[in-house]
Every structure is written in structure tokens, then in C-alpha cells.
Amino acid sequence: MNNITVSEGIYYVGVNDRRKNLFENNWPLPKGVSYNSYLIRDRKNLLIDTIETGSNDNYLNNIERLLEGGKLDYLVVNHMEPDHSGLIGQVLAKYPDAKVVGNAQTGKILSHYFNIPEESFHLVKDGDTLELGEHVLSFHLVPWVHWPETMVTYDQKSATLFSCDAFGGFGTLDGGIFDDQNDFEADYKGEMLRYYSNIVGKYSNMVQKALEKLKGIRINMIAPSHGLVWRKDPAKVVGLYDQWSRSIPEEGVVIAFASMYGNTEQMADFIGKELGAKGIPVRIHDVSKTHVSYILQDIWKYKGLILGTCAYNTKMHPMMEHLCNEISLVSPRNKVLSVFGSSTWNGAGVKSLAKYAPEMGMEIKGAPLEIMGGASYEKLCGAASVFIENFMKEYNG
Ligand code: FEO
């Protein structure tokens, strides 16, 4: 097997996972995911992060082969979530003399998962360095990106930032692992934003703090623990993270609806066509058909959000409630929100959306659009045009 060299003395030993259907048992993986791990060979040998248990039986063999009979001296744990820490126990069983490198928070969480003797833990503080020979590593704490213990590791020799989840994305690495070997716009950008909006976005304030902290470091390469390794254009992914974590939206409106018998769907279509006629990009999602993961991705991306639901057991439709709950968990910001819905004897759906808005950290702009019974063309022309006019005032405001 060919070695995958990231830089002189640094090897990629990560794996692709195409078998898992749902990341965190929640987020679909139609294009799989990679768990990136890196081995630095020097006078002292060091491994950066591991992989998820069961994702690849060859992982330990590859490390052994690359070490060519040498021992592993250190295992850096940038992040304790089990997709990266899963094989810590197996690595240490094979290399019992290796020291686990982590910060104080890492140590606490590590003890909940593995029984590691105190003398095997190499505690680092923010900015500490570790000399391996030619490679000197420094460790930088970036708490809550996206767990309390998260840190990044920087190799001074190659100016590589091992950033763990930060700058990562869904999607396997098919062939080349580098940004210049792949079509980022076509194959990875959407999956990176989906990963950001689903996993990291809630902690955008902390991402901003991390970006500020890392500003002073010269970075030639970014090597995250999921997705592409950025050697040609690391500034590009830093720019995207800055945009996404500042919640700077693109022009466009997401219309997400829940409909039992098609009336709310007709309202969604009518609103979408009217907005489209004004030149606004529109994405319409049926919450009963499209996984919430993709709807969140679009919500994060676009400026406008219009939610519609039929009434259901005196509340909103349960699939719309699921979307609202997920929105409240990831906290997208800077959205212009309006709501609409249909009902037969009262406006329970729209009222529920109005009640839920503060939990999503949003405020509904303009009066909701409500239609009783069938969404006839005449009714839509009358009520929806006022709704759209009001929405556009807020959207352009
Ligand atoms: Fe990829 Fe937060 O683990």
C-alpha cells in the first residue's frame, strides 16, 4: 500500500466510513465520512487522534507498517468524541508506553471512557510545546468547538494545523485527500456546510474566538479530522468558517412546510413562485420528505425562512415540530422569519409556530398567513400577496 504523505515525516492514516448510515445516529451520510488521523515520524513518533471503533480493521496495521518496528511515543487527543477517540484503548494496548497528550478537560473526559494510568497522561496547557526531533508541536485550546476539551495541534516545521472537527465536513476522501485533488465546489462544499450547520454551528461564537486566537499563526496547511486536507488554499476554508460562524447569509429564502392533504403545500408553492418571480432564490422543503439535516443546511445558508404547517391535534404537525426543535438546538441567527399554515376549525398550527419562535431564538416578522380549508387560487391571490409584500419589506429592510 502506498503511504499518503501530508508533509515530510507526516503521514495520513485516516479511514473512510461508507457503512454508517447516520452520523451521531442522526445525520444522514449518503457520501460517507472520513475519520482522519495523522502519524508523525521523527526521533519521537506521535499519532494525532484515532478513528471510530469498527470503521477499519487496517488502521492499526498501517500505523505499525509506517513505524517500521519503531515505537509510538505519543498519542495526541484533540477531541474526545468517540468518532476520534474510539481506538485509544486499542492503540494503547498495542503501544503501552505511549503517552496520551491532552489538556485538563481531556483528562477528565478520558477517565470516563478509558482506564489510563496517571503517569501515561501528558498534560498540556494552552500554548505548550512538545519537541519530537525536527518537528515541534504546539497545542492551542479551542474550547467548545464543539466540546469543552477541544484543542488543535500545530506543527511548526510544516506549518500544519491539525484542527480536528474544525474545518471538517461529511464525505469520504475518494482517491486524493487534498483540496487540490478534488472538486470542492461540486463534491464537498455542501457537505461541509451541512456538517457545520448540524454539528458545529451552535458554537459559532466559540468558533469566532478560535479563529481570532489562531490569527497570529502562520498556516500552510489545515489537516482536519473529517474531510479534505487543505494544502493549496487553506485561506478559503478559513474564510468560509468565518462567514458561517458570523452567520452572514446568502440571498435566498427557505420555505419548509408540513402538509397532510396538500393545502399547506399549495400555499408553500404559491409563496415560492411569487418570491421566485421577484428574482429571489427559493428552496422549498417538505419536512415529511427531506431529512432535517438538509433543511438546517439551507437555513444556515440563506437569509429568509418561511415555515408553514397545517394544524394537527391542536398543535403544529409533528414533523414541523421536529424541525423547530432542531432549529432551537443549532441556533441559526440573522434570519427573517415568517410563518403560514392552513386549518379547518382553528389556527392551532400557526399559533404553535408563533409560540415556538422564541425557543428558536427568532422573532416572527409580519402577520402570519392563514387559510381555512382548501387553498384555492382565489384565496391565495387575496391573502398571500399581502403576506409576501410584508415579508419582502422585512427581507429588504
Ligand atoms: Fe468528529 Fe466532534 O467529533
Side-chain angles (χ1 to χ4, degrees), residues 99-372:
K99 297 259 191 278
V100 177
V101 181
N103 59 69
Q105 289 291 341
T106 321
K108 276 187 204 165
I109 299 175
L110 193 66
S111 68
H112 300 320
Y113 284 87
F114 302 100
N115 189 14
I116 293 172
E118 207 176 319
E119 60 274 18
S120 295
F121 188 66
H122 181 92
L123 176 69
V124 292
K125 297 189 290 303
D126 191 37
D128 277 0
T129 57
L130 179 65
E131 193 176 330
L132 304 178
E134 291 185 18
H135 295 268
V136 178
L137 303 183
S138 57
F139 305 97
H140 306 271
L141 274 54
V142 289
W144 293 107
V145 182
H146 63 123
W147 275 24
E149 87 299 1
T150 42
M151 66 179 194
V152 296
T153 299
Y154 177 72
D155 173 44
Q156 296 177 5
K157 181 174 191 285
S158 60
T160 301
L161 184 73
F162 298 94
S163 60
C164 204
D165 280 345
F167 310 115
F170 294 131
T172 53
L173 298 174
D174 302 339
I177 66 167
F178 296 103
D179 56 336
D180 54 278
Q181 296 173 307
N182 287 279
D183 187 338
F184 173 67
E185 296 292 332
D187 298 328
Y188 289 95
K189 189 177 179 184
E191 286 294 82
M192 182 179 256
L193 174 56
R194 189 162 68 88
Y195 181 87
Y196 185 83
S197 62
N198 293 182
I199 311 287
V200 182
K202 179 180 177 61
Y203 306 97
S204 287
N205 288 343
M206 301 311 285
V207 172
Q208 274 295 311
K209 284 188 181 167
L211 289 175
E212 194 57 40
K213 182 173 189 171
L214 298 172
K215 250 183 190 163
I217 298 177
R218 178 179 64 92
I219 295 174
N220 278 349
M221 189 150 35
I222 293 179
S225 291
H226 300 290
L228 296 174
V229 176
W230 292 80
R231 71 177 173 191
K232 184 180 177 209
D233 195 4
K236 183 184 182 99
V237 73
V238 172
L240 283 173
Y241 250 61
D242 188 42
Q243 179 191 342
W244 294 339
S245 58
R246 285 179 197 272
S247 299
I248 299 171
E250 295 182 22
E251 291 298 326
V253 175
V254 179
I255 301 172
F257 72 87
S259 184
M260 281 194 287
Y261 299 108
N263 292 307
T264 309
E265 180 178 8
Q266 286 184 57
M267 297 171 77
D269 261 334
F270 188 92
I271 296 166
K273 286 186 177 118
E274 290 291 309
L275 293 176
K278 295 177 189 301
I280 296 174
V282 172
R283 300 294 300 267
I284 298 183
H285 292 296
D286 179 345
V287 296
S288 302
K289 292 268 170 58
T290 305
H291 195 284
V292 67
S293 172
Y294 296 92
I295 307 176
L296 291 176
Q297 175 190 344
D298 273 348
I299 290 173
W300 207 277
K301 180 173 180 178
Y302 293 112
K303 181 175 169 184
L305 175 60
I306 303 180
L307 300 176
T309 181
C310 55
Y312 193 100
N313 284 345
T314 73
K315 291 178 78 180
M316 68 179 93
H317 190 281
M319 294 304 286
M320 178 53 71
E321 188 161 2
H322 177 52
L323 172 63
C324 290
N325 182 49
E326 289 284 7
I327 292 173
S328 73
L329 291 174
V330 302
S331 311
R333 290 174 288 149
N334 299 337
K335 304 298 163 194
V336 179
L337 172 69
S338 285
V339 300
F340 68 96
S342 65
S343 63
T344 302
W345 61 86
N346 69 16
V350 165
K351 279 184 195 144
S352 297
L353 280 173
K355 255 194 230 164
Y356 215 115
E359 282 191 47
M360 296 190 284
M362 296 185 195
E363 186 187 343
I364 293 173
K365 304 289 186 183
L369 168 63
E370 288 187 271
I371 285 182
M372 300 290 278

Side-chain angles (χ1 to χ4, degrees), residues 12-78:
Y12 178 87
V13 291
V15 302
N16 286 321
D17 185 349
R18 296 185 179 85
R19 285 176 293 170
K20 184 190 286 296
N21 285 320
L22 294 173
F23 190 77
E24 297 181 346
N25 226 0
N26 197 20
W27 314 108
L29 290 173
K31 296 179 179 176
V33 66
S34 71
Y35 312 118
N36 302 346
S37 172
Y38 304 90
L39 181 70
I40 302 182
R41 281 202 55 186
D42 206 325
R43 283 201 287 284
K44 300 277 188 190
N45 298 316
L46 176 144
L47 184 65
I48 298 179
D49 292 320
T50 71
I51 61 172
E52 181 158 335
T53 311
S55 53
N56 193 307
D57 294 340
N58 275 322
Y59 176 70
L60 290 171
N61 293 338
N62 286 339
I63 293 168
E64 182 180 12
R65 184 178 51 75
L66 282 163
L67 286 174
E68 296 176 325
K71 62 177 189 147
L72 185 70
D73 298 284
Y74 295 104
L75 165 58
V76 172
V77 179
N78 278 326

